[in-house]
């Protein structure tokens, strides 16, 4: 790929569409921006040409003679993973386009295609993502978003996110802890016209009221003890982009009122200040609580609830999307391996896959990741087996132990897990507690119990 400036990149583009008028319009729009464009009239030719010649981005129609657009997407994602794909779709095929995005397509463009600037902007985004992946594939793997692997119950969720992303509507993501609400918020942002602007998030449950207020709105010098200089808040930093309020149900009443004003007026004052700060942000919020019931009970402002719930989306728990569990586990293992500096992730044997699918996962994706991280440490080899799954203390872990011929008791299993985890992190007890999914105090108690000081 050739680069003119850091802001404007040009590349080699393949356009596949059986409608000559559409194909020519797209090609000419891109050529005016300096891109080199190759045109083909069907999916079979697209696959053949992509295999023979190097491309940065492929734009493919979904419905074509020969191989269709979905076949093009699957082939490219499997054989040419560094090539970005954008699908062209008629209005009635948006759901299919969303399916293509789930397979790895960068984005989709609805027909009739009439905006050269829109085509060029979409391709520019795909090129930027390709350069980012090439520059730091490990970092991208650790931060890339993956919401589902094809579970039918997730189709309306992905479809809703794709549709609302292109609007300015406030989105409320509802679901149990660990269901992927922040992942959905990031996907919402990355699929929106604001994707090149900041995505700023804050967890309303982890800070005291005063600290949270300062983090949200910023402060002026001298606003309180320790405020030695002016500081912009996170809402201000998100100007032009997306601001995500995680665990919004934990907001105190006084902050609920101040947040409502920002949503209504798009302005606020920093703590200790009197000059209005005007912001343009797209709002997304998430909660694992029933805000509607809280509003009825008076513990959450009803007017704020209605402001946040303009477009509510429910994230189903893993027990309702069991088709996702094994492919999600394999994807998480790839992430874990990158973080641990391993060249290849361990694989799951058939019995382990069955065990993972059989669990209800009350902690959802977060719990699954913790279990897999511990299992990768325990396996210390290329295959994760059922005996490596320390799913939870109590009955579920006891069942795992019962299936292992090498471990005599739950205590032995727990002790060995702790020993291996400590060894894997070089004795760092705080990091070991994090990887084990337990508190530091709990870890110290277990170390004392097992004589592992």
């Amino acid at each position: 790929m050739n680069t003119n400036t850091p802001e404007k990149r040009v590349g080699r583009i393949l356009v596949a569409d059986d409608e000559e008028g559409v194909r020519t319009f797209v090609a000419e729009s891109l050529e005016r921006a300096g891109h080199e464009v190759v045109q083909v009239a069907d999916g079979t030719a697209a696959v053949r040409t992509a295999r023979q010649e190097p491309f940065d981005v492929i734009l493919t129609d979904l419905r074509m003679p020969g191989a269709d657009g979905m076949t093009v997407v699957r082939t490219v994602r499997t054989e040419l993973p560094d090539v970005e794909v954008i699908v062209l779709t008629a209005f009635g095929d948006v759901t299919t386009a969303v399916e293509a995005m789930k397979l790895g397509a960068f984005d989709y463009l609805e027909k009739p295609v009439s905006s050269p600037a829109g085509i060029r902007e979409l391709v520019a985004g795909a090129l930027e993502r390709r350069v980012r992946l090439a520059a730091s594939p490990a970092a991208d793997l650790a931060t890339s978003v993956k919401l589902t692997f094809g579970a039918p119950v997730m189709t309306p969720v992905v479809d809703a996110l794709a549709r609302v992303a292109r609007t300015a509507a406030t989105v409320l993501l509802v679901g149990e802890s660990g269901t992927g609400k922040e992942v959905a918020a990031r996907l919402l942002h990355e699929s929106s016209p604001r994707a090149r602007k900041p995505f700023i998030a804050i967890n309303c449950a982890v800070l005291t009221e005063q600290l949270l207020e300062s983090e949200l709105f910023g402060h002026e010098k001298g606003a309180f003890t320790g405020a030695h200089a002016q500081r912009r808040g996170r809402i201000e930093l998100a100007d032009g982009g997306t601001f995500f309020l995680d665990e919004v149900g934990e907001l105190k009443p006084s902050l609920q009122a101040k947040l409502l004003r920002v949503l209504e007026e798009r302005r606020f004052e920093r703590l200790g200040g009197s000059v209005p700060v005007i912001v343009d942000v797209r709002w997304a919020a998430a909660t694992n609580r029933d805000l509607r019931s809280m509003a009825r009970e008076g513990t959450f402002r009803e007017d704020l609830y209605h402001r946040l719930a303009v477009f509510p989306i429910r994230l189903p728990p893993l027990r309702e999307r069991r088709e996702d569990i094994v492919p999600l586990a394999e994807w998480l293992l790839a992430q874990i391996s990158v973080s641990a500096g391993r060249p290849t992730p361990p694989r799951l044997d058939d019995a382990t896959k069955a065990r993972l699918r059989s669990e209800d996962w009350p902690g959802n994706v977060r719990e699954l990741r913790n279990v897999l991280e511990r299992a990768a440490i325990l396996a210390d080899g290329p295959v994760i087996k059922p005996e490596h799954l320390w799913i939870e203390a109590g009955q579920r872990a006891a069942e795992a132990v019962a299936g292992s011929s090498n471990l005599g008791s739950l205590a032995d299993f727990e002790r060995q897990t702790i020993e291996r985890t400590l060894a894997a992190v070089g004795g760092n007890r705080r990091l070991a507690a994090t990887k084990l999914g337990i508190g530091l105090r709990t870890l110290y108690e277990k170390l004392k119990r097992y004589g592992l000081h």
Side-chain angles (χ1 to χ4, degrees):
M1 182 188 306
N2 300 319
T3 303
N4 288 346
T5 70
E7 292 73 35
K8 182 180 179 182
R9 297 186 174 93
V10 295
R12 197 162 190 271
I13 317 297
L14 175 64
V15 178
D17 198 300
D18 60 327
E19 295 180 63
E20 184 178 359
V22 173
R23 192 171 67 242
T24 302
F25 179 84
V26 172
E28 291 179 350
S29 298
L30 294 172
E31 286 170 345
R32 291 193 192 103
H35 301 293
E36 179 184 353
V37 182
V38 174
Q39 300 181 44
V40 294
D42 60 69
T44 302
V47 170
R48 182 178 62 249
T49 306
R51 285 169 172 164
Q52 295 173 346
E53 303 177 32
F55 292 96
D56 300 300
V57 180
I58 297 175
L59 286 89
T60 177
D61 190 17
L62 279 177
R63 298 185 181 276
M64 296 181 292
D68 62 10
M70 294 296 280
T71 301
V72 175
V73 173
R74 291 190 184 95
T75 301
V76 172
R77 298 320 303 157
T78 301
E79 299 180 17
L80 307 164
D82 60 335
V83 178
E84 295 294 340
V85 182
I86 297 169
V87 296
L88 304 173
T89 175
F91 178 79
D93 284 337
V94 168
T95 300
T96 308
V98 172
E99 289 295 319
M101 291 178 66
K102 287 159 60 178
L103 290 173
F106 173 75
D107 207 341
Y108 69 89
L109 189 62
E110 287 187 35
K111 293 182 176 181
V113 181
S114 58
S115 170
I119 297 170
R120 289 193 286 264
E121 182 176 356
L122 204 55
V123 169
L127 289 171
E128 285 186 3
R129 184 173 185 270
R130 188 177 187 277
V131 169
R132 187 174 71 246
L133 280 170
S136 182
D140 191 83
L141 177 60
T143 59
S144 59
V145 295
K146 192 70 174 177
L147 191 59
T148 182
F149 291 79
V153 73
M154 291 296 291
T155 299
V157 174
V158 176
D159 189 27
L161 283 170
R163 289 177 182 274
V164 76
R166 302 178 187 279
T167 74
T170 301
V171 175
L172 179 64
L173 300 161
V174 181
E176 296 177 7
S177 177
T179 50
K181 297 187 289 295
E182 183 168 350
V183 170
R186 289 185 180 275
L187 184 61
L188 176 75
H189 172 73
E190 291 186 5
S191 304
S192 77
R194 298 172 180 261
R196 298 185 184 182
K197 298 295 184 178
F199 174 88
I200 305 293
I202 195 168
N203 190 317
C204 302
V206 301
L207 299 174
T208 65
E209 184 175 3
Q210 183 180 12
L211 283 174
L212 181 57
E213 185 174 9
S214 177
E215 285 292 317
L216 287 171
F217 305 111
H219 59 254
E220 300 290 352
K221 181 180 180 179
F224 50 83
T225 302
H228 302 301
Q230 183 193 80
R231 184 170 182 270
R232 294 194 299 165
R234 296 198 194 184
I235 296 176
E236 191 174 348
L237 293 173
D239 189 35
T242 302
F243 191 79
F244 175 53
L245 289 155
D246 200 4
E247 302 298 348
V248 70
E250 306 302 321
L251 277 177
K252 302 297 183 184
S254 61
L255 286 182
Q256 291 179 28
K258 291 183 177 181
L259 180 62
L260 177 64
R261 183 194 168 202
V262 182
L263 268 68
E264 291 179 337
E265 301 179 8
R266 296 179 177 270
R267 65 180 63 202
F268 61 92
E269 291 85 37
R270 300 187 191 100
L271 293 183
S274 57
V275 178
V277 177
I278 300 173
V279 291
D280 170 29
V281 300
R282 198 277 177 74
W283 294 91
T287 183
N288 59 11
R289 305 182 67 179
D290 186 347
L291 293 189
R292 187 189 294 272
S293 294
M294 292 176 65
R296 286 196 296 264
E297 296 165 359
T299 55
F300 195 86
R301 291 184 65 114
E302 187 172 5
D303 44 8
L304 178 57
Y305 166 72
H306 289 299
R307 278 283 179 180
L308 293 174
V310 174
F311 199 97
I313 299 176
R314 175 181 176 267
L315 276 296
L318 274 184
R319 62 182 175 275
E320 294 180 15
R321 39 188 283 221
R322 294 187 186 274
E323 302 91 340
D324 272 350
I325 292 176
V326 170
L328 174 61
E330 291 171 337
W331 185 74
L332 289 170
L333 279 171
Q335 285 189 314
I336 291 166
S337 296
V338 168
S339 300
R342 296 175 181 170
T344 57
R347 66 177 179 85
L348 305 169
D349 70 10
D350 290 342
T352 304
K353 292 177 181 179
R355 176 72 195 284
L356 293 174
R357 280 192 293 262
S358 71
E359 289 293 331
D360 281 342
W361 302 108
N364 294 292
V365 180
R366 189 174 295 118
E367 181 186 5
L368 176 61
R369 184 186 176 99
N370 284 341
V371 167
L372 293 170
E373 193 159 8
R374 291 193 292 263
I377 294 169
L378 283 169
D380 196 25
V383 182
I384 290 179
K385 299 180 179 180
E387 57 261 33
H388 300 137
L389 300 178
W390 183 29
I391 293 179
E392 193 175 285
Q395 182 59 37
R396 292 205 294 161
E399 292 170 356
V401 173
S404 169
S405 60
N406 298 323
L407 301 175
S409 68
L410 175 60
D412 289 339
F413 183 79
E414 187 174 59
R415 186 186 69 253
Q416 290 181 27
T417 300
I418 292 171
E419 286 178 325
R420 293 190 186 185
T421 303
L422 280 168
V425 298
N428 185 320
R429 296 183 177 186
R430 185 176 299 277
L431 183 56
T434 300
K435 289 184 176 295
L436 288 165
I438 61 178
L440 185 59
R441 179 178 296 179
T442 302
L443 175 60
Y444 275 107
E445 290 173 352
K446 292 180 183 294
L447 292 174
K448 182 177 180 180
R449 181 189 311 160
Y450 297 128
L452 299 175
H453 293 295

